[in-house]
Amino acid sequence: MNESAALRLASYNIQKCVGLDLRRQPRRVLQVLTRLGAQVVVLQEADKRLPPRPAALPHFVLEEAGWEVADLGGAGSLGWHGNAVIWRRGALHLRDMGHIDLPGLEPRGAVWVAFDSPLGPLRVVGLHLGLVGRYRRKQVLHLAQECARLPAMPMIWAGDFNEWSRRSALEGLAPAMRFLPPRASFPALRPLGPLDRIALSVGLGVAGHGVHLEQPAHIASDHLPVWADVVVEG
């Protein structure tokens, strides 16, 4: 494994920037993002719930802090179905992006962004799966099928899988992806469930991964961020 170039990727369900103290504080979430030290972050619940679904974490707040935002939502939204992808200015260069509809009773979707990165061409897929197990399984299977139709390149899945089990059946539905060992990230004050996960395609490995515990992450959202230092396998 070549660890000379590592890219830190994180996934964070920001709960519309409403913390456990019931206060909406976008700049507190930004503080967590800064302390994560990640070059690219996949966000869930990045937009407010009601149409036109404006960004819960405003674009100008991110841009002032040196983040770039994939234009996935339009009309003032940060993402699509609440899924957003942001990255440190100059750390990666945008190539392409798109949406993937996911089946189920709840309105769910995934987004993908392709980059030129320190690791080479890289596709990052952000997702937030449903609450019902049988639909999560359908969503993972559909996501794997849709990703297989995209131009081939190393790929990372990251997001809120809403899966409590540490030995999940989801992994068998996406054999092209290797899921990192799950770490408890929910609820933030006393993490019990490994809801937030990261998976890698062939050609990628990790130099380390974990859950971000540094304050104010314990109160900024009901989830803690998860992260991985991704490297090229050699």
Side-chain angles (χ1 to χ4, degrees):
M1 185 178 294
N2 178 12
E3 297 181 5
S4 59
L7 178 77
R8 176 163 290 191
L9 175 138
S11 178
Y12 190 18
N13 184 327
I14 62 174
Q15 198 185 212
K16 304 174 185 65
C17 293
V18 177
L20 297 183
D21 56 0
L22 302 183
R23 296 179 179 179
R24 189 185 301 276
Q25 294 192 4
R27 292 189 184 277
R28 181 168 59 186
V29 170
L30 180 64
Q31 188 177 8
V32 176
L33 294 176
T34 300
R35 292 181 175 179
L36 266 169
Q39 285 78 51
V40 57
V41 182
V42 174
L43 302 173
Q44 301 87 48
E45 298 194 25
D47 298 325
K48 297 179 183 178
R49 185 177 300 276
L50 298 177
R53 296 183 174 84
L57 184 56
H59 287 247
F60 77 89
V61 172
L62 287 165
E63 291 164 0
E64 287 176 357
W67 293 94
E68 296 190 62
V69 179
D71 185 12
L72 292 159
S77 297
L78 190 61
W80 186 71
H81 282 286
N83 299 296
V85 180
I86 64 174
W87 64 97
R88 278 292 182 188
R89 188 174 297 126
L92 304 95
H93 299 283
L94 180 68
R95 294 177 59 156
D96 200 1
M97 58 186 158
H99 304 155
I100 298 174
D101 286 306
L102 296 179
L105 291 176
E106 308 166 74
R108 297 284 178 174
V111 299
W112 61 266
V113 180
F115 293 105
D116 290 317
S117 80
L119 308 180
L122 178 69
R123 179 176 294 110
V124 175
V125 178
L127 56 101
H128 190 178
L129 300 186
L131 298 173
V132 179
R134 69 177 181 275
Y135 290 119
R136 285 198 297 274
R137 292 188 286 275
K138 289 181 179 179
Q139 289 162 2
V140 168
L141 182 60
H142 182 75
L143 185 62
Q145 293 169 342
E146 291 298 307
C147 286
R149 295 188 177 99
L150 296 172
M153 69 176 65
M155 181 166 53
I156 303 172
W157 290 5
D160 180 353
F161 282 74
N162 264 320
E163 181 72 24
W164 285 82
S165 173
R166 293 183 178 274
R167 302 188 67 179
S168 171
L170 299 180
E171 300 181 19
L173 301 174
M177 305 300 294
R178 176 171 60 89
F179 284 74
L180 300 183
R183 304 283 177 83
S185 59
F186 178 89
L189 279 178
R190 188 182 178 187
L192 298 172
L195 273 60
D196 305 280
R197 306 192 186 203
I198 297 172
L200 311 175
S201 71
V202 171
L204 298 176
V206 293
H209 73 286
V211 179
H212 180 76
L213 300 170
E214 185 178 344
Q215 295 184 7
H218 68 296
I219 196 171
S221 171
D222 59 346
H223 287 247
L224 294 171
V226 296
W227 60 270
D229 288 332
V230 183
V231 297
V232 176
E233 282 190 327

